[in-house]
Amino acid sequence: MKKLSFAAGAAYTALLAFVIVCIDQSIKQWMPIGAESGFTYIAFVAWAVYFFSGCTLKGGIRAAIGYAVGVSFSVVIILLAGLFSSTGYFAVPIGVLIVVFLVLYLEKVPWIDLIPAMFVASGCFFGIMTYVPEATFASAACVELIYGFIGLLFGWITITGKDFLAKKIEK
C-alpha cells in the first residue's frame, strides 16, 4: 500500500470513528437506558469484531448472529445463576460453566460458529447489566444489539471504503 493510499485510509477510518461518536450522541437519548452516557464503546468493540471475523460480508453476518446468540446466552446465565442461588458464591460460575459448555458446541454449526463474537457480546451485556442501574434484559439487549450492529456495519464500511480509496489512489 502506497503512503498516500495509507494516509487516505487512515483519514477515512478516523472520519468513520468521528461519525460513530456523532451517531451515539444523536441516538443515546432514544435508547431505553443509558441516555446520560451512551454506548459508543459497544460500537467500537463490534467494529473490531468485524475485523477478526474475516473482513467479509459473510463474516459480518456471522458476527451479528454471534452477537444475538451471545446476548441470549447471557440472559440464560443470569437465569441459571438465580436457579442456583442457593449455592451462593458459585451461582454465577455454575451458570457460566453450563452455558459455555453448550456454546462451544456451536463451533460445529455453520453461520453460528463465531464463538469470539458471542463472548464479546456476552461481556458487553454483563457490563450493561452490572453498571447501568435501570437495565433489564430487554433494554440491555436492545441497546447492545443496536450499537453492536452499528459497529459491525462500520466495520464493513471501513473495509469497503478503504478498498475503494486504494483502487482510486493507486491507479
Side-chain angles (χ1 to χ4, degrees):
M1 180 177 282
K2 296 179 181 171
K3 288 181 184 180
L4 178 60
S5 178
F6 183 83
Y12 174 73
T13 304
L15 178 63
L16 291 177
F18 170 88
V19 171
I20 284 181
V21 175
C22 290
I23 289 170
D24 175 52
Q25 291 180 1
S26 298
I27 69 172
K28 68 183 182 181
Q29 69 266 12
W30 303 108
M31 294 296 111
I33 54 173
E36 64 285 344
S37 56
F39 294 95
T40 305
Y41 75 94
I42 294 174
F44 278 106
V45 169
W47 195 358
V49 168
Y50 181 83
F51 295 125
F52 73 65
S53 72
C55 294
T56 64
L57 183 57
K58 179 182 177 182
I61 292 168
R62 288 173 53 232
I65 293 167
Y67 258 69
V69 172
V71 167
S72 300
F73 280 127
S74 296
V75 171
V76 173
I77 288 170
I78 294 169
L79 294 174
L80 284 173
L83 184 66
F84 292 107
S85 62
S86 63
T87 66
Y89 174 86
F90 292 103
V92 174
I94 291 170
V96 169
L97 175 75
I98 293 167
V99 170
V100 170
F101 178 80
L102 297 172
V103 163
L104 293 178
Y105 277 92
L106 293 177
E107 269 189 297
K108 304 284 186 190
V109 182
W111 290 93
I112 310 175
D113 57 351
L114 194 60
I115 304 303
M118 295 174 203
F119 276 82
V120 168
S122 183
C124 289
F125 185 82
F126 282 114
I128 294 171
M129 292 301 293
T130 301
Y131 298 110
V132 180
E134 69 273 20
T136 64
F137 291 157
S139 64
C142 174
V143 165
E144 181 169 355
L145 293 176
I146 288 169
Y147 279 87
F149 293 161
I150 288 169
L152 292 171
L153 175 63
F154 270 70
W156 178 81
I157 291 169
T158 302
I159 298 303
T160 304
K162 284 176 71 174
D163 287 350
F164 175 80
L165 283 172
K167 286 176 187 169
K168 289 294 182 187
I169 292 170
E170 295 176 8
K171 269 187 177 179

